Short mmCIF file of all heavy atoms in Angstrom, two decimals:
data_model
loop_
_atom_site.label_atom_id
_atom_site.label_comp_id
_atom_site.label_asym_id
_atom_site.label_seq_id
_atom_site.Cartn_x
_atom_site.Cartn_y
_atom_site.Cartn_z
N ARG A 672 68.75 -19.26 71.67
CA ARG A 672 69.30 -20.07 72.79
C ARG A 672 70.86 -19.79 73.06
O ARG A 672 71.12 -19.54 74.27
CB ARG A 672 69.05 -21.60 72.44
CG ARG A 672 69.35 -22.29 73.81
CD ARG A 672 69.13 -23.86 73.45
NE ARG A 672 67.80 -24.10 73.05
CZ ARG A 672 67.48 -24.81 71.80
NH1 ARG A 672 68.49 -25.46 71.22
NH2 ARG A 672 66.44 -24.96 71.58
N CYS A 679 73.96 -15.30 79.93
CA CYS A 679 73.93 -15.84 81.36
C CYS A 679 75.39 -15.96 81.88
O CYS A 679 75.70 -15.67 82.97
CB CYS A 679 73.39 -17.26 81.45
SG CYS A 679 71.63 -17.14 81.22
N PRO A 693 73.29 -16.27 100.75
CA PRO A 693 72.03 -15.76 100.26
C PRO A 693 72.01 -16.31 98.76
O PRO A 693 73.07 -16.36 98.16
CB PRO A 693 72.21 -14.24 100.36
CG PRO A 693 73.19 -13.96 101.31
CD PRO A 693 74.15 -15.03 101.41
N PRO A 709 63.60 -18.70 73.13
CA PRO A 709 62.66 -18.89 71.98
C PRO A 709 61.61 -19.96 72.26
O PRO A 709 61.77 -20.94 73.09
CB PRO A 709 63.68 -19.45 70.91
CG PRO A 709 64.72 -20.11 71.68
CD PRO A 709 64.97 -19.15 72.98
N ALA A 726 45.63 -54.98 71.54
CA ALA A 726 45.08 -55.37 70.27
C ALA A 726 44.59 -54.14 69.64
O ALA A 726 44.24 -53.14 70.27
CB ALA A 726 43.92 -56.30 70.48
N VAL A 727 44.24 -54.13 68.23
CA VAL A 727 43.90 -53.10 67.46
C VAL A 727 44.43 -51.68 67.83
O VAL A 727 43.77 -50.74 67.85
CB VAL A 727 42.31 -53.04 67.36
CG1 VAL A 727 41.75 -54.17 66.70
CG2 VAL A 727 41.74 -52.98 68.86
N GLU A 745 44.02 -40.77 70.48
CA GLU A 745 43.50 -40.26 71.84
C GLU A 745 44.71 -40.10 72.72
O GLU A 745 45.79 -40.64 72.42
CB GLU A 745 42.49 -41.28 72.25
CG GLU A 745 41.29 -41.19 71.49
CD GLU A 745 40.07 -41.98 72.16
OE1 GLU A 745 40.32 -42.71 73.15
OE2 GLU A 745 39.00 -42.00 71.66
N GLY A 750 46.80 -35.88 79.44
CA GLY A 750 46.76 -34.93 78.18
C GLY A 750 48.00 -34.73 77.69
O GLY A 750 48.26 -33.91 76.71
N LEU A 762 54.27 -35.89 74.45
CA LEU A 762 54.21 -34.66 73.66
C LEU A 762 54.90 -33.52 74.26
O LEU A 762 54.95 -32.35 73.81
CB LEU A 762 52.59 -34.21 73.50
CG LEU A 762 51.75 -35.20 72.81
CD1 LEU A 762 50.42 -34.72 72.85
CD2 LEU A 762 52.25 -35.64 71.55
N ALA A 840 65.15 -28.85 89.85
CA ALA A 840 63.78 -29.36 90.51
C ALA A 840 62.88 -29.46 89.39
O ALA A 840 62.58 -28.57 88.64
CB ALA A 840 63.36 -28.34 91.63
N SER A 844 54.00 -28.56 88.24
CA SER A 844 52.87 -29.32 87.78
C SER A 844 53.20 -30.70 88.37
O SER A 844 53.16 -30.84 89.56
CB SER A 844 52.74 -29.34 86.35
OG SER A 844 53.95 -29.83 85.69
N ILE A 875 52.72 -42.77 91.13
CA ILE A 875 53.41 -43.48 89.97
C ILE A 875 53.57 -44.96 90.41
O ILE A 875 53.56 -45.37 91.52
CB ILE A 875 54.94 -42.80 90.03
CG1 ILE A 875 55.82 -43.36 89.00
CG2 ILE A 875 55.63 -42.74 91.35
CD1 ILE A 875 57.10 -42.65 88.61
N GLU A 878 57.57 -49.76 88.93
CA GLU A 878 58.57 -50.09 87.94
C GLU A 878 59.22 -48.72 87.45
O GLU A 878 60.51 -48.72 87.52
CB GLU A 878 58.12 -51.04 86.84
CG GLU A 878 57.97 -52.47 87.31
CD GLU A 878 59.02 -52.96 88.20
OE1 GLU A 878 60.28 -52.86 87.89
OE2 GLU A 878 58.63 -53.52 89.37
N GLU A 882 63.36 -47.18 88.39
CA GLU A 882 64.32 -46.77 87.43
C GLU A 882 64.64 -45.22 87.70
O GLU A 882 65.76 -44.76 87.62
CB GLU A 882 63.83 -47.02 86.03
CG GLU A 882 64.93 -46.80 85.05
CD GLU A 882 64.52 -46.96 83.59
OE1 GLU A 882 63.45 -47.19 83.20
OE2 GLU A 882 65.44 -46.82 82.61
N LEU A 894 51.87 -35.47 100.46
CA LEU A 894 50.98 -36.63 100.96
C LEU A 894 49.63 -35.59 101.32
O LEU A 894 49.72 -34.92 102.22
CB LEU A 894 51.51 -37.09 102.14
CG LEU A 894 50.96 -38.34 102.85
CD1 LEU A 894 50.43 -39.36 101.75
CD2 LEU A 894 51.72 -38.97 103.84
N GLY A 908 42.30 -39.23 92.81
CA GLY A 908 43.51 -40.25 92.83
C GLY A 908 43.19 -41.28 93.83
O GLY A 908 42.07 -41.38 94.47
N ASN A 924 66.80 -45.77 99.85
CA ASN A 924 67.72 -44.71 100.38
C ASN A 924 67.61 -43.31 99.61
O ASN A 924 68.61 -42.60 99.55
CB ASN A 924 69.17 -45.20 100.23
CG ASN A 924 69.37 -46.46 101.25
OD1 ASN A 924 68.79 -46.34 102.38
ND2 ASN A 924 70.11 -47.28 100.76
N VAL A 933 47.47 -28.67 105.06
CA VAL A 933 46.30 -28.84 106.04
C VAL A 933 45.12 -27.95 105.57
O VAL A 933 45.25 -26.63 105.60
CB VAL A 933 46.79 -28.43 107.44
CG1 VAL A 933 45.65 -28.50 108.40
CG2 VAL A 933 48.08 -29.11 107.88
N PHE A 963 53.96 -29.46 107.67
CA PHE A 963 52.49 -29.02 107.69
C PHE A 963 52.36 -27.70 107.19
O PHE A 963 52.84 -26.75 107.83
CB PHE A 963 51.96 -29.26 109.04
CG PHE A 963 51.91 -30.82 109.54
CD1 PHE A 963 52.84 -31.30 110.40
CD2 PHE A 963 51.06 -31.67 108.94
CE1 PHE A 963 52.94 -32.54 110.75
CE2 PHE A 963 51.06 -32.94 109.28
CZ PHE A 963 52.01 -33.51 110.16
N PHE A 966 46.99 -23.74 104.09
CA PHE A 966 46.20 -23.69 103.02
C PHE A 966 45.70 -22.26 102.82
O PHE A 966 45.42 -21.56 103.60
CB PHE A 966 45.01 -24.67 103.04
CG PHE A 966 43.84 -24.27 102.28
CD1 PHE A 966 43.79 -24.92 100.89
CD2 PHE A 966 42.79 -23.58 102.62
CE1 PHE A 966 42.68 -24.61 100.10
CE2 PHE A 966 41.70 -23.33 101.98
CZ PHE A 966 41.69 -23.86 100.60
N ALA A 990 52.30 -34.30 116.08
CA ALA A 990 53.28 -35.04 115.29
C ALA A 990 54.49 -35.27 116.19
O ALA A 990 55.10 -36.32 116.18
CB ALA A 990 53.65 -34.38 113.95
N HIS A 1010 62.19 -23.37 111.91
CA HIS A 1010 63.60 -23.80 112.26
C HIS A 1010 63.76 -25.24 112.37
O HIS A 1010 62.80 -26.01 112.57
CB HIS A 1010 64.05 -23.05 113.45
CG HIS A 1010 63.68 -21.69 113.60
ND1 HIS A 1010 63.98 -20.77 112.54
CD2 HIS A 1010 63.45 -20.78 114.61
CE1 HIS A 1010 63.72 -19.54 112.86
NE2 HIS A 1010 63.33 -19.52 114.04
N TYR A 1012 65.53 -28.10 114.63
CA TYR A 1012 65.92 -28.32 116.05
C TYR A 1012 66.56 -29.61 116.18
O TYR A 1012 66.10 -30.60 115.61
CB TYR A 1012 64.77 -28.26 117.01
CG TYR A 1012 64.15 -26.83 117.08
CD1 TYR A 1012 62.99 -26.48 116.17
CD2 TYR A 1012 64.71 -25.78 117.78
CE1 TYR A 1012 62.45 -25.34 116.25
CE2 TYR A 1012 64.08 -24.35 117.76
CZ TYR A 1012 63.01 -24.27 116.93
OH TYR A 1012 62.35 -23.02 116.98
N TYR A 1024 63.71 -17.89 107.76
CA TYR A 1024 62.65 -16.93 107.73
C TYR A 1024 61.97 -17.09 106.32
O TYR A 1024 62.63 -16.63 105.38
CB TYR A 1024 63.03 -15.48 108.05
CG TYR A 1024 61.74 -14.65 108.04
CD1 TYR A 1024 61.02 -14.38 109.31
CD2 TYR A 1024 61.29 -14.13 106.90
CE1 TYR A 1024 59.97 -13.48 109.39
CE2 TYR A 1024 60.05 -13.24 106.90
CZ TYR A 1024 59.43 -13.13 108.19
OH TYR A 1024 58.32 -12.24 108.11
#
Side-chain angles (χ1 to χ4, degrees):
R672 187 180 307 131
C679 293
V727 290
E745 291 189 350
L762 308 176
S844 55
I875 182 170
E878 290 318 307
E882 192 180 0
L894 188 49
N924 295 320
V933 180
F963 291 102
F966 160 85
H1010 309 320
Y1012 298 92
Y1024 185 91

